[in-house]
Amino acid sequence: EMRAGVLVAGLLSFMLAAIAFLWYSPMAPGHSWGGSLAFGMAIFFAQFCSSISASVTASFAPLLFNRCDWNPAEWGGPFETAFQDVVGSSVMLAGSAAILAQFGDYVEDCPGGDVKECVMLCQAGASYDEKCLQHCLDLALRGLC
């Protein structure tokens, strides 16, 4: 049962990750190859964990309920559904958020809308704030300003 679950989880996760990678096209403005790969990895991780969670609970819940002298047919469905919803969703959200925060694209708007306005916003009296100017330059070099 577990071998089949891992195989199905891997195949389904790989297919969905490939679709997610193409959907978050690296050719679109503001998207990068790294961001597309991160999105695909996040989808792969989420689907794989959710499928493995389903496989584990489907395998072990009937054994557990049998051991407790409870009817597995009566208790298995609600337990498995609740476990998969809570654990699967929590792992999916936490894992995906961690992957996207670490490796995903970070889109930042240019203050003022263009480089000139960004620099003008950096003016502090008669001089300019050096950190603000560096930030405007970084945005311009990345093509965001």
Side-chain angles (χ1 to χ4, degrees), residues 12-96:
L12 183 60
S13 299
F14 179 76
M15 287 179 5
L16 287 176
I19 292 168
F21 176 82
L22 294 173
W23 183 47
Y24 190 87
S25 172
M27 303 302 178
H31 295 184
S32 68
W33 285 96
S36 295
L37 185 60
F39 186 63
M41 284 178 12
I43 296 300
F44 177 89
F45 176 80
Q47 183 62 48
F48 189 80
C49 288
S50 182
S51 296
I52 292 297
S53 167
S55 183
V56 167
T57 55
S59 297
F60 292 115
L63 300 173
L64 174 68
F65 293 131
N66 243 356
R67 188 160 179 87
C68 294
D69 284 332
W70 294 342
N71 183 359
E74 184 179 328
W75 288 93
F79 172 78
E80 291 171 28
T81 300
F83 185 85
Q84 291 164 19
D85 287 349
V86 172
V87 173
S89 298
S90 298
V91 169
M92 174 193 69
L93 291 173
S96 296

